[in-house]
Amino acid sequence: MSRKPSTPAAKAAAPKPAGKASKPVEAVGEALERALDPLTTALKRAGLKRADKAARAFDDRTAQPAPAGAGKVDKSAMPVSPLAVPFPRMKPIRGLTMATGRAGFYKHDRDDLLVMSFPEGASCAGVFTRHGVGSAPVDWCKRHLEATKGEGVKALVVNAGCANSFTGRPGADAVRRVASAVGKRFDCRQRDVMVASTGVIGVLLDDTKIVNRLADVEHKLSPDGWGGAARAIMTTDTFPKGAYAEAEIDGVKVRIGGICKGSGMIAPDMATMLAFVVTDAAISPGALQNLCNLYTRNTFNAVTVDGDRSTNDTLLLFATGQSGAPKISRAGDRRLADFRDKLEQVLMNLAHQLVRDGEGATKFIKITVTGAESAASARKIAKSVADSPLVKTAFAGEDANWGRIVMAVGKADEPVDRDSMSVKFGPHWAAQDGLIAGSYDEAKMSAYMKKQELEVSVDVGVGRAAATVWTCDLTKRYVEINGDYRS
């Protein structure tokens, strides 16, 4: 894992106090979010409900025993999260081949290198961290996706064990050398190679470890290797994460498969988070980028483990175009309706698995805020609750401490009506109309809090906007994992 290193529209439009101006990239992000809110709020409110429901069903439907090779555990591996889900059965994506190998970024024997190969004409889109200290691989992908407009991507190279972040010009040179070596092997330009890294921040990537393994990895390229791929990119993850779905485009069946990694430093702004999703649909780079932007918002950007953003957060979405379905050039094309739903399901499924594998987590928690002034305000309040250490430790202690929920709502500095506010844990009211609920029952609350999956609903009483964020509890184990990370 790469180590530690929205306000309502009306407020966002107001002049900022001197000395508190947003960084240019943050201003752009805020402007984009304000622009998207009036256009997508209604769509996303309905779509998010469908995706959440479908993701639950999808988890049940695809949960299968892990494929051969995907269940091997290192001697150094930590206990598997009690919230873990089985790795799904995933079919090959036409046009995609992949392989893993051991580059040696870890002292123990494990694969830590992943290579994916794509056919001629493949499209690529990406969403990356807006962290002020981005990594060399993030810089590389952003620059070359902009240069190529997402056309002609040929390969993806991922390493675990070294983030290659905060490494200056030497880190950038290391990425270039990796891309150049891969380009020579795959007969493509180095800019057609995407690169991603995860691991300790501040350590320069030894690119020779990757380059020296390329021949062996290339020899092993296969269309069926999702389980090994998911395991090769893990850091403090305790289980490999994958998701798969099938959709129809104009009567032709297409496949969507993806993997991700992340366990700590999860609070995406685009968690340590890397995600790679591939479809065999034929979708233009522009349409693919629009889909990537749209569905990241309420999936990967709606989960948090510890509130810390990573320098390396990356989501790359690839389309091989090998399904036989007609090529789609607009994200809003009616023929993409089923594909859009299934893509959101896959992204939601992967995002939920990040939370389920939160470092030391024992509870999977859904925070829903309603009655907010705007969708941006609702998201900010929900994140405030989800990121609060006091709230998260209360969940760890199975204590329905609704006072801490109210505290976290207020500290978001968003419009709320204290005397209309309500708080609910699952089906049980804790507070209504600004007071402890008349039906409050401590015994029922205590029994509910023992569940592994919990829901908290907060109505702030000032409007009609809503947002949902998923999080986990904060336990002693989180401190142990991060206290010992480099020692």
Side-chain angles (χ1 to χ4, degrees):
M1 151 186 84
S2 306
R3 297 318 297 174
K4 314 257 189 266
S6 32
T7 62
K11 288 178 67 178
K16 293 184 180 290
K20 293 188 178 181
S22 295
K23 295 179 181 180
V25 68
E26 292 174 345
V28 171
E30 291 169 2
L32 176 61
E33 184 165 283
R34 291 198 302 272
L36 282 172
D37 271 338
L39 296 173
T40 63
T41 296
L43 170 67
K44 294 308 298 169
R45 191 177 296 161
L48 189 58
K49 289 179 180 178
R50 290 197 312 273
D52 186 24
K53 181 179 179 181
R56 291 170 183 261
F58 179 78
D59 280 344
D60 293 338
R61 188 172 66 251
T62 61
Q64 302 289 344
K72 297 177 182 177
V73 179
D74 309 325
K75 291 181 180 179
S76 62
M78 292 174 286
V80 175
S81 167
L83 305 172
V85 295
F87 196 82
R89 189 166 293 154
M90 299 174 65
K91 296 180 182 179
I93 304 296
R94 285 159 289 213
L96 167 69
T97 57
M98 66 189 95
T100 64
R102 184 187 178 194
F105 291 105
Y106 290 91
K107 294 179 181 178
H108 51 284
D109 185 8
R110 58 154 286 181
D111 282 359
D112 53 10
L113 176 64
L114 166 65
V115 175
M116 288 186 173
S117 174
F118 306 98
E120 293 290 339
S123 300
C124 180
V127 182
F128 306 91
T129 183
R130 290 191 291 178
H131 196 287
V133 185
S135 68
V138 166
D139 291 346
W140 176 273
C141 291
K142 289 170 66 175
R143 182 168 68 254
H144 291 295
L145 278 180
E146 182 177 354
T148 64
K149 307 302 181 185
E151 296 180 347
V153 65
K154 286 288 292 180
L156 166 69
V157 183
V158 188
N159 75 274
C162 175
N164 196 20
S165 177
F166 203 64
T167 51
R169 181 59 182 268
D173 288 342
V175 170
R176 178 184 52 75
R177 288 192 293 268
V178 168
S180 177
V182 174
K184 290 176 181 176
R185 287 205 161 269
F186 287 84
D187 192 26
C188 67
R189 299 167 298 184
Q190 61 183 31
R191 72 178 190 176
D192 296 329
V193 178
M194 296 291 102
V195 179
S197 299
T198 180
V200 178
I201 290 172
V203 177
L204 178 64
L205 181 74
D206 183 353
D207 54 281
T208 61
K209 291 184 175 181
I210 296 176
V211 173
N212 290 342
R213 299 298 298 171
L214 287 178
D216 180 56
V217 172
E218 183 184 11
H219 180 70
K220 296 190 297 183
L221 286 172
S222 164
D224 191 5
W226 284 112
R231 185 163 294 281
I233 64 174
M234 290 167 54
T235 51
T236 59
D237 304 62
T238 69
F239 65 92
K241 303 167 183 65
Y244 176 83
E246 295 182 354
E248 284 195 1
I249 297 178
D250 205 23
V252 178
K253 185 172 291 186
V254 300
R255 298 171 179 173
I256 309 169
I259 55 174
C260 72
K261 63 81 53 185
S263 186
M265 204 189 299
I266 303 291
D269 184 23
M270 3 156 256
T272 295
M273 203 275 307
L274 297 180
F276 310 109
V277 180
V278 187
T279 178
D280 52 15
I283 302 176
S284 71
L288 207 63
Q289 187 63 58
N290 288 336
L291 293 172
C292 199
N293 293 341
L294 179 63
Y295 292 122
T296 299
R297 193 175 180 213
N298 284 332
T299 57
F300 286 114
N301 276 6
V303 298
T304 178
V305 167
D306 49 19
D308 278 338
R309 285 193 284 156
S310 167
T311 59
N312 290 53
D313 287 345
T314 297
L315 164 63
L316 289 172
L317 176 59
F318 303 90
T320 69
Q322 301 294 299
S323 65
K327 186 166 185 176
I328 306 296
S329 58
R330 293 186 304 105
D333 192 307
R334 290 183 179 181
R335 294 171 293 177
L336 273 187
D338 188 40
F339 179 87
R340 287 192 295 266
D341 283 347
K342 298 298 172 54
L343 175 63
E344 186 171 23
Q345 286 179 31
V346 167
L347 298 184
M348 184 75 80
N349 190 326
L350 292 173
H352 284 184
Q353 290 184 56
L354 295 176
V355 175
R356 289 181 176 278
D357 203 16
E359 290 172 337
T362 65
K363 306 286 185 182
F364 178 76
I365 306 155
K366 178 181 179 181
I367 309 287
T368 300
V369 171
T370 57
E373 185 178 85
S374 70
S377 178
R379 280 194 298 276
K380 187 176 178 183
I381 294 169
K383 278 284 189 75
S384 180
V385 174
D387 282 334
S388 166
L390 287 175
V391 170
K392 293 162 75 69
T393 50
F395 280 116
E398 300 182 340
D399 177 12
N401 192 333
W402 58 271
R404 292 185 180 181
I405 303 289
V406 172
M407 172 279 299
V409 168
K411 75 169 185 173
D413 293 328
E414 291 294 322
V416 300
D417 183 343
R418 181 192 63 189
D419 297 329
S420 298
M421 194 182 304
S422 66
V423 180
K424 196 157 104 172
F425 289 74
H428 309 295
W429 288 104
Q432 290 178 291
D433 298 325
L435 298 168
I436 186 170
S439 60
Y440 183 85
D441 187 317
E442 185 69 32
K444 289 183 178 178
M445 283 290 191
S446 295
Y448 178 75
M449 294 299 290
K450 295 186 183 303
K451 295 177 177 290
Q452 282 192 333
E453 300 193 15
L454 304 169
E455 294 190 20
V456 175
S457 304
V458 182
D459 191 296
V460 297
V462 295
R464 302 177 63 182
T468 297
V469 170
W470 290 267
T471 190
C472 59
D473 55 345
L474 179 60
T475 68
K476 294 177 181 178
R477 182 63 178 145
Y478 179 89
V479 178
E480 292 170 357
I481 292 169
N482 287 284
D484 293 339
Y485 186 73
R486 291 206 314 155
S487 56

PDB file of all heavy atoms in Angstrom, residues 164-194:
ATOM      1  N   ASN A 164       7.064   4.360  -5.646  1.00  0.00           N
ATOM      2  CA  ASN A 164       7.777   5.287  -6.534  1.00  0.00           C
ATOM      3  C   ASN A 164       7.114   6.662  -6.503  1.00  0.00           C
ATOM      4  O   ASN A 164       6.875   7.288  -7.529  1.00  0.00           O
ATOM      5  CB  ASN A 164       7.818   4.749  -7.968  1.00  0.00           C
ATOM      6  CG  ASN A 164       8.861   5.462  -8.816  1.00  0.00           C
ATOM      7  OD1 ASN A 164       9.786   6.078  -8.290  1.00  0.00           O
ATOM      8  ND2 ASN A 164       8.714   5.386 -10.124  1.00  0.00           N
ATOM      9  N   SER A 165       6.826   7.118  -5.290  1.00  0.00           N
ATOM     10  CA  SER A 165       6.207   8.425  -5.073  1.00  0.00           C
ATOM     11  C   SER A 165       7.151   9.280  -4.246  1.00  0.00           C
ATOM     12  O   SER A 165       7.842   8.781  -3.346  1.00  0.00           O
ATOM     13  CB  SER A 165       4.876   8.250  -4.338  1.00  0.00           C
ATOM     14  OG  SER A 165       4.297   9.509  -4.050  1.00  0.00           O
ATOM     15  N   PHE A 166       7.195  10.575  -4.525  1.00  0.00           N
ATOM     16  CA  PHE A 166       8.111  11.496  -3.861  1.00  0.00           C
ATOM     17  C   PHE A 166       9.545  11.066  -4.138  1.00  0.00           C
ATOM     18  O   PHE A 166      10.392  11.030  -3.259  1.00  0.00           O
ATOM     19  CB  PHE A 166       7.834  11.549  -2.349  1.00  0.00           C
ATOM     20  CG  PHE A 166       8.318  12.833  -1.702  1.00  0.00           C
ATOM     21  CD1 PHE A 166       7.771  14.051  -2.056  1.00  0.00           C
ATOM     22  CD2 PHE A 166       9.304  12.810  -0.744  1.00  0.00           C
ATOM     23  CE1 PHE A 166       8.215  15.231  -1.471  1.00  0.00           C
ATOM     24  CE2 PHE A 166       9.770  13.984  -0.154  1.00  0.00           C
ATOM     25  CZ  PHE A 166       9.218  15.193  -0.515  1.00  0.00           C
ATOM     26  N   THR A 167       9.784  10.742  -5.405  1.00  0.00           N
ATOM     27  CA  THR A 167      11.116  10.286  -5.819  1.00  0.00           C
ATOM     28  C   THR A 167      11.713  11.166  -6.914  1.00  0.00           C
ATOM     29  O   THR A 167      12.731  10.817  -7.508  1.00  0.00           O
ATOM     30  CB  THR A 167      11.053   8.826  -6.315  1.00  0.00           C
ATOM     31  OG1 THR A 167      10.003   8.703  -7.293  1.00  0.00           O
ATOM     32  CG2 THR A 167      10.775   7.868  -5.173  1.00  0.00           C
ATOM     33  N   GLY A 168      11.075  12.292  -7.214  1.00  0.00           N
ATOM     34  CA  GLY A 168      11.640  13.286  -8.115  1.00  0.00           C
ATOM     35  C   GLY A 168      11.934  12.783  -9.529  1.00  0.00           C
ATOM     36  O   GLY A 168      11.290  11.853 -10.024  1.00  0.00           O
ATOM     37  N   ARG A 169      12.906  13.401 -10.145  1.00  0.00           N
ATOM     38  CA  ARG A 169      13.278  13.052 -11.518  1.00  0.00           C
ATOM     39  C   ARG A 169      13.755  11.600 -11.639  1.00  0.00           C
ATOM     40  O   ARG A 169      13.420  10.916 -12.618  1.00  0.00           O
ATOM     41  CB  ARG A 169      14.356  14.008 -12.023  1.00  0.00           C
ATOM     42  CG  ARG A 169      14.800  13.740 -13.460  1.00  0.00           C
ATOM     43  CD  ARG A 169      13.614  13.847 -14.424  1.00  0.00           C
ATOM     44  NE  ARG A 169      14.011  13.557 -15.785  1.00  0.00           N
ATOM     45  CZ  ARG A 169      14.411  14.497 -16.653  1.00  0.00           C
ATOM     46  NH1 ARG A 169      14.469  15.773 -16.276  1.00  0.00           N
ATOM     47  NH2 ARG A 169      14.735  14.172 -17.873  1.00  0.00           N
ATOM     48  N   PRO A 170      14.527  11.073 -10.670  1.00  0.00           N
ATOM     49  CA  PRO A 170      14.935   9.666 -10.774  1.00  0.00           C
ATOM     50  C   PRO A 170      13.741   8.713 -10.849  1.00  0.00           C
ATOM     51  O   PRO A 170      13.777   7.722 -11.582  1.00  0.00           O
ATOM     52  CB  PRO A 170      15.757   9.436  -9.501  1.00  0.00           C
ATOM     53  CG  PRO A 170      16.306  10.787  -9.176  1.00  0.00           C
ATOM     54  CD  PRO A 170      15.204  11.743  -9.534  1.00  0.00           C
ATOM     55  N   GLY A 171      12.672   9.014 -10.113  1.00  0.00           N
ATOM     56  CA  GLY A 171      11.477   8.173 -10.165  1.00  0.00           C
ATOM     57  C   GLY A 171      10.801   8.229 -11.520  1.00  0.00           C
ATOM     58  O   GLY A 171      10.347   7.210 -12.050  1.00  0.00           O
ATOM     59  N   ALA A 172      10.748   9.428 -12.099  1.00  0.00           N
ATOM     60  CA  ALA A 172      10.162   9.587 -13.433  1.00  0.00           C
ATOM     61  C   ALA A 172      10.997   8.843 -14.477  1.00  0.00           C
ATOM     62  O   ALA A 172      10.459   8.214 -15.398  1.00  0.00           O
ATOM     63  CB  ALA A 172      10.071  11.068 -13.791  1.00  0.00           C
ATOM     64  N   ASP A 173      12.317   8.904 -14.329  1.00  0.00           N
ATOM     65  CA  ASP A 173      13.193   8.193 -15.264  1.00  0.00           C
ATOM     66  C   ASP A 173      12.998   6.684 -15.159  1.00  0.00           C
ATOM     67  O   ASP A 173      13.056   5.961 -16.169  1.00  0.00           O
ATOM     68  CB  ASP A 173      14.651   8.551 -14.992  1.00  0.00           C
ATOM     69  CG  ASP A 173      15.002   9.973 -15.422  1.00  0.00           C
ATOM     70  OD1 ASP A 173      14.242  10.555 -16.225  1.00  0.00           O
ATOM     71  OD2 ASP A 173      16.027  10.502 -14.938  1.00  0.00           O
ATOM     72  N   ALA A 174      12.776   6.194 -13.947  1.00  0.00           N
ATOM     73  CA  ALA A 174      12.566   4.758 -13.752  1.00  0.00           C
ATOM     74  C   ALA A 174      11.293   4.302 -14.464  1.00  0.00           C
ATOM     75  O   ALA A 174      11.267   3.245 -15.112  1.00  0.00           O
ATOM     76  CB  ALA A 174      12.489   4.434 -12.263  1.00  0.00           C
ATOM     77  N   VAL A 175      10.228   5.098 -14.371  1.00  0.00           N
ATOM     78  CA  VAL A 175       8.984   4.769 -15.066  1.00  0.00           C
ATOM     79  C   VAL A 175       9.212   4.754 -16.577  1.00  0.00           C
ATOM     80  O   VAL A 175       8.748   3.847 -17.282  1.00  0.00           O
ATOM     81  CB  VAL A 175       7.870   5.782 -14.701  1.00  0.00           C
ATOM     82  CG1 VAL A 175       6.653   5.585 -15.598  1.00  0.00           C
ATOM     83  CG2 VAL A 175       7.477   5.629 -13.246  1.00  0.00           C
ATOM     84  N   ARG A 176       9.936   5.752 -17.071  1.00  0.00           N
ATOM     85  CA  ARG A 176      10.201   5.818 -18.512  1.00  0.00           C
ATOM     86  C   ARG A 176      10.968   4.591 -18.987  1.00  0.00           C
ATOM     87  O   ARG A 176      10.663   4.036 -20.054  1.00  0.00           O
ATOM     88  CB  ARG A 176      10.976   7.099 -18.838  1.00  0.00           C
ATOM     89  CG  ARG A 176      11.353   7.232 -20.308  1.00  0.00           C
ATOM     90  CD  ARG A 176      12.198   8.470 -20.554  1.00  0.00           C
ATOM     91  NE  ARG A 176      13.345   8.557 -19.677  1.00  0.00           N
ATOM     92  CZ  ARG A 176      14.451   7.829 -19.804  1.00  0.00           C
ATOM     93  NH1 ARG A 176      14.548   6.945 -20.811  1.00  0.00           N
ATOM     94  NH2 ARG A 176      15.453   7.975 -18.959  1.00  0.00           N
ATOM     95  N   ARG A 177      11.936   4.151 -18.210  1.00  0.00           N
ATOM     96  CA  ARG A 177      12.720   2.986 -18.614  1.00  0.00           C
ATOM     97  C   ARG A 177      11.872   1.721 -18.634  1.00  0.00           C
ATOM     98  O   ARG A 177      12.026   0.862 -19.512  1.00  0.00           O
ATOM     99  CB  ARG A 177      13.926   2.812 -17.687  1.00  0.00           C
ATOM    100  CG  ARG A 177      15.021   3.858 -17.900  1.00  0.00           C
ATOM    101  CD  ARG A 177      16.296   3.484 -17.170  1.00  0.00           C
ATOM    102  NE  ARG A 177      16.131   3.518 -15.711  1.00  0.00           N
ATOM    103  CZ  ARG A 177      16.396   4.580 -14.962  1.00  0.00           C
ATOM    104  NH1 ARG A 177      16.808   5.713 -15.520  1.00  0.00           N
ATOM    105  NH2 ARG A 177      16.263   4.512 -13.657  1.00  0.00           N
ATOM    106  N   VAL A 178      10.957   1.603 -17.666  1.00  0.00           N
ATOM    107  CA  VAL A 178      10.048   0.446 -17.658  1.00  0.00           C
ATOM    108  C   VAL A 178       9.170   0.468 -18.904  1.00  0.00           C
ATOM    109  O   VAL A 178       9.025  -0.538 -19.610  1.00  0.00           O
ATOM    110  CB  VAL A 178       9.173   0.445 -16.388  1.00  0.00           C
ATOM    111  CG1 VAL A 178       8.040  -0.575 -16.516  1.00  0.00           C
ATOM    112  CG2 VAL A 178      10.014   0.142 -15.150  1.00  0.00           C
ATOM    113  N   ALA A 179       8.567   1.629 -19.186  1.00  0.00           N
ATOM    114  CA  ALA A 179       7.683   1.751 -20.347  1.00  0.00           C
ATOM    115  C   ALA A 179       8.437   1.502 -21.646  1.00  0.00           C
ATOM    116  O   ALA A 179       7.912   0.877 -22.581  1.00  0.00           O
ATOM    117  CB  ALA A 179       7.035   3.135 -20.367  1.00  0.00           C
ATOM    118  N   SER A 180       9.673   1.957 -21.716  1.00  0.00           N
ATOM    119  CA  SER A 180      10.480   1.751 -22.921  1.00  0.00           C
ATOM    120  C   SER A 180      10.777   0.272 -23.128  1.00  0.00           C
ATOM    121  O   SER A 180      10.658  -0.250 -24.249  1.00  0.00           O
ATOM    122  CB  SER A 180      11.794   2.538 -22.799  1.00  0.00           C
ATOM    123  OG  SER A 180      12.618   2.303 -23.923  1.00  0.00           O
ATOM    124  N   ALA A 181      11.126  -0.425 -22.046  1.00  0.00           N
ATOM    125  CA  ALA A 181      11.428  -1.854 -22.152  1.00  0.00           C
ATOM    126  C   ALA A 181      10.201  -2.655 -22.545  1.00  0.00           C
ATOM    127  O   ALA A 181      10.268  -3.572 -23.381  1.00  0.00           O
ATOM    128  CB  ALA A 181      11.994  -2.365 -20.825  1.00  0.00           C
ATOM    129  N   VAL A 182       9.058  -2.305 -21.981  1.00  0.00           N
ATOM    130  CA  VAL A 182       7.814  -2.993 -22.325  1.00  0.00           C
ATOM    131  C   VAL A 182       7.434  -2.685 -23.766  1.00  0.00           C
ATOM    132  O   VAL A 182       6.982  -3.564 -24.515  1.00  0.00           O
ATOM    133  CB  VAL A 182       6.678  -2.580 -21.361  1.00  0.00           C
ATOM    134  CG1 VAL A 182       5.345  -3.180 -21.816  1.00  0.00           C
ATOM    135  CG2 VAL A 182       6.996  -3.043 -19.943  1.00  0.00           C
ATOM    136  N   GLY A 183       7.608  -1.435 -24.180  1.00  0.00           N
ATOM    137  CA  GLY A 183       7.293  -1.051 -25.550  1.00  0.00           C
ATOM    138  C   GLY A 183       8.085  -1.846 -26.576  1.00  0.00           C
ATOM    139  O   GLY A 183       7.559  -2.247 -27.623  1.00  0.00           O
ATOM    140  N   LYS A 184       9.360  -2.091 -26.284  1.00  0.00           N
ATOM    141  CA  LYS A 184      10.186  -2.876 -27.202  1.00  0.00           C
ATOM    142  C   LYS A 184       9.689  -4.312 -27.299  1.00  0.00           C
ATOM    143  O   LYS A 184       9.683  -4.918 -28.375  1.00  0.00           O
ATOM    144  CB  LYS A 184      11.641  -2.845 -26.730  1.00  0.00           C
ATOM    145  CG  LYS A 184      12.298  -1.481 -26.892  1.00  0.00           C
ATOM    146  CD  LYS A 184      13.717  -1.476 -26.328  1.00  0.00           C
ATOM    147  CE  LYS A 184      14.352  -0.092 -26.471  1.00  0.00           C
ATOM    148  NZ  LYS A 184      15.701  -0.032 -25.854  1.00  0.00           N
ATOM    149  N   ARG A 185       9.247  -4.870 -26.178  1.00  0.00           N
ATOM    150  CA  ARG A 185       8.769  -6.253 -26.187  1.00  0.00           C
ATOM    151  C   ARG A 185       7.412  -6.396 -26.866  1.00  0.00           C
ATOM    152  O   ARG A 185       7.106  -7.419 -27.467  1.00  0.00           O
ATOM    153  CB  ARG A 185       8.687  -6.792 -24.761  1.00  0.00           C
ATOM    154  CG  ARG A 185      10.052  -7.062 -24.161  1.00  0.00           C
ATOM    155  CD  ARG A 185       9.974  -8.117 -23.076  1.00  0.00           C
ATOM    156  NE  ARG A 185      11.307  -8.670 -22.837  1.00  0.00           N
ATOM    157  CZ  ARG A 185      11.790  -9.711 -23.452  1.00  0.00           C
ATOM    158  NH1 ARG A 185      11.066 -10.337 -24.357  1.00  0.00           N
ATOM    159  NH2 ARG A 185      13.008 -10.152 -23.175  1.00  0.00           N
ATOM    160  N   PHE A 186       6.573  -5.365 -26.737  1.00  0.00           N
ATOM    161  CA  PHE A 186       5.234  -5.446 -27.299  1.00  0.00           C
ATOM    162  C   PHE A 186       5.114  -4.664 -28.610  1.00  0.00           C
ATOM    163  O   PHE A 186       4.013  -4.466 -29.111  1.00  0.00           O
ATOM    164  CB  PHE A 186       4.213  -4.927 -26.283  1.00  0.00           C
ATOM    165  CG  PHE A 186       3.980  -5.859 -25.127  1.00  0.00           C
ATOM    166  CD1 PHE A 186       4.832  -5.852 -24.027  1.00  0.00           C
ATOM    167  CD2 PHE A 186       2.928  -6.748 -25.141  1.00  0.00           C
ATOM    168  CE1 PHE A 186       4.634  -6.708 -22.964  1.00  0.00           C
ATOM    169  CE2 PHE A 186       2.718  -7.616 -24.081  1.00  0.00           C
ATOM    170  CZ  PHE A 186       3.579  -7.601 -22.988  1.00  0.00           C
ATOM    171  N   ASP A 187       6.249  -4.220 -29.136  1.00  0.00           N
ATOM    172  CA  ASP A 187       6.297  -3.535 -30.419  1.00  0.00           C
ATOM    173  C   ASP A 187       5.343  -2.341 -30.450  1.00  0.00           C
ATOM    174  O   ASP A 187       4.481  -2.215 -31.325  1.00  0.00           O
ATOM    175  CB  ASP A 187       5.952  -4.518 -31.555  1.00  0.00           C
ATOM    176  CG  ASP A 187       6.272  -3.925 -32.926  1.00  0.00           C
ATOM    177  OD1 ASP A 187       7.160  -3.054 -32.997  1.00  0.00           O
ATOM    178  OD2 ASP A 187       5.626  -4.341 -33.911  1.00  0.00           O
ATOM    179  N   CYS A 188       5.492  -1.476 -29.466  1.00  0.00           N
ATOM    180  CA  CYS A 188       4.636  -0.279 -29.409  1.00  0.00           C
ATOM    181  C   CYS A 188       5.454   0.889 -28.866  1.00  0.00           C
ATOM    182  O   CYS A 188       6.590   0.725 -28.402  1.00  0.00           O
ATOM    183  CB  CYS A 188       3.413  -0.531 -28.533  1.00  0.00           C
ATOM    184  SG  CYS A 188       3.779  -0.777 -26.777  1.00  0.00           S
ATOM    185  N   ARG A 189       4.867   2.057 -28.939  1.00  0.00           N
ATOM    186  CA  ARG A 189       5.528   3.234 -28.385  1.00  0.00           C
ATOM    187  C   ARG A 189       5.472   3.173 -26.861  1.00  0.00           C
ATOM    188  O   ARG A 189       4.539   2.615 -26.288  1.00  0.00           O
ATOM    189  CB  ARG A 189       4.820   4.495 -28.868  1.00  0.00           C
ATOM    190  CG  ARG A 189       4.826   4.676 -30.381  1.00  0.00           C
ATOM    191  CD  ARG A 189       3.862   5.757 -30.809  1.00  0.00           C
ATOM    192  NE  ARG A 189       2.490   5.426 -30.455  1.00  0.00           N
ATOM    193  CZ  ARG A 189       1.435   6.174 -30.778  1.00  0.00           C
ATOM    194  NH1 ARG A 189       1.610   7.284 -31.475  1.00  0.00           N
ATOM    195  NH2 ARG A 189       0.219   5.802 -30.424  1.00  0.00           N
ATOM    196  N   GLN A 190       6.435   3.785 -26.188  1.00  0.00           N
ATOM    197  CA  GLN A 190       6.435   3.755 -24.723  1.00  0.00           C
ATOM    198  C   GLN A 190       5.226   4.497 -24.161  1.00  0.00           C
ATOM    199  O   GLN A 190       4.740   4.168 -23.077  1.00  0.00           O
ATOM    200  CB  GLN A 190       7.737   4.332 -24.161  1.00  0.00           C
ATOM    201  CG  GLN A 190       8.014   5.775 -24.501  1.00  0.00           C
ATOM    202  CD  GLN A 190       9.359   6.242 -23.955  1.00  0.00           C
ATOM    203  OE1 GLN A 190      10.300   5.454 -23.845  1.00  0.00           O
ATOM    204  NE2 GLN A 190       9.457   7.523 -23.608  1.00  0.00           N
ATOM    205  N   ARG A 191       4.686   5.450 -24.888  1.00  0.00           N
ATOM    206  CA  ARG A 191       3.521   6.171 -24.388  1.00  0.00           C
ATOM    207  C   ARG A 191       2.252   5.325 -24.442  1.00  0.00           C
ATOM    208  O   ARG A 191       1.226   5.708 -23.878  1.00  0.00           O
ATOM    209  CB  ARG A 191       3.320   7.471 -25.172  1.00  0.00           C
ATOM    210  CG  ARG A 191       2.815   7.300 -26.598  1.00  0.00           C
ATOM    211  CD  ARG A 191       2.626   8.658 -27.238  1.00  0.00           C
ATOM    212  NE  ARG A 191       1.927   8.596 -28.507  1.00  0.00           N
ATOM    213  CZ  ARG A 191       1.588   9.669 -29.209  1.00  0.00           C
ATOM    214  NH1 ARG A 191       1.898  10.876 -28.777  1.00  0.00           N
ATOM    215  NH2 ARG A 191       0.948   9.540 -30.356  1.00  0.00           N
ATOM    216  N   ASP A 192       2.307   4.179 -25.123  1.00  0.00           N
ATOM    217  CA  ASP A 192       1.156   3.272 -25.171  1.00  0.00           C
ATOM    218  C   ASP A 192       1.191   2.256 -24.025  1.00  0.00           C
ATOM    219  O   ASP A 192       0.397   1.322 -23.997  1.00  0.00           O
ATOM    220  CB  ASP A 192       1.125   2.520 -26.506  1.00  0.00           C
ATOM    221  CG  ASP A 192       0.921   3.465 -27.689  1.00  0.00           C
ATOM    222  OD1 ASP A 192       0.256   4.494 -27.500  1.00  0.00           O
ATOM    223  OD2 ASP A 192       1.444   3.163 -28.785  1.00  0.00           O
ATOM    224  N   VAL A 193       2.106   2.454 -23.080  1.00  0.00           N
ATOM    225  CA  VAL A 193       2.235   1.577 -21.915  1.00  0.00           C
ATOM    226  C   VAL A 193       1.797   2.349 -20.666  1.00  0.00           C
ATOM    227  O   VAL A 193       2.345   3.415 -20.359  1.00  0.00           O
ATOM    228  CB  VAL A 193       3.691   1.101 -21.735  1.00  0.00           C
ATOM    229  CG1 VAL A 193       3.818   0.220 -20.494  1.00  0.00           C
ATOM    230  CG2 VAL A 193       4.156   0.350 -22.981  1.00  0.00           C
ATOM    231  N   MET A 194       0.798   1.838 -19.957  1.00  0.00           N
ATOM    232  CA  MET A 194       0.372   2.416 -18.696  1.00  0.00           C
ATOM    233  C   MET A 194       1.139   1.744 -17.561  1.00  0.00           C
ATOM    234  O   MET A 194       1.443   0.545 -17.627  1.00  0.00           O
ATOM    235  CB  MET A 194      -1.130   2.226 -18.493  1.00  0.00           C
ATOM    236  CG  MET A 194      -2.008   2.947 -19.517  1.00  0.00           C
ATOM    237  SD  MET A 194      -1.966   4.756 -19.363  1.00  0.00           S
ATOM    238  CE  MET A 194      -0.861   5.193 -20.718  1.00  0.00           C
TER     239      MET A 194
END
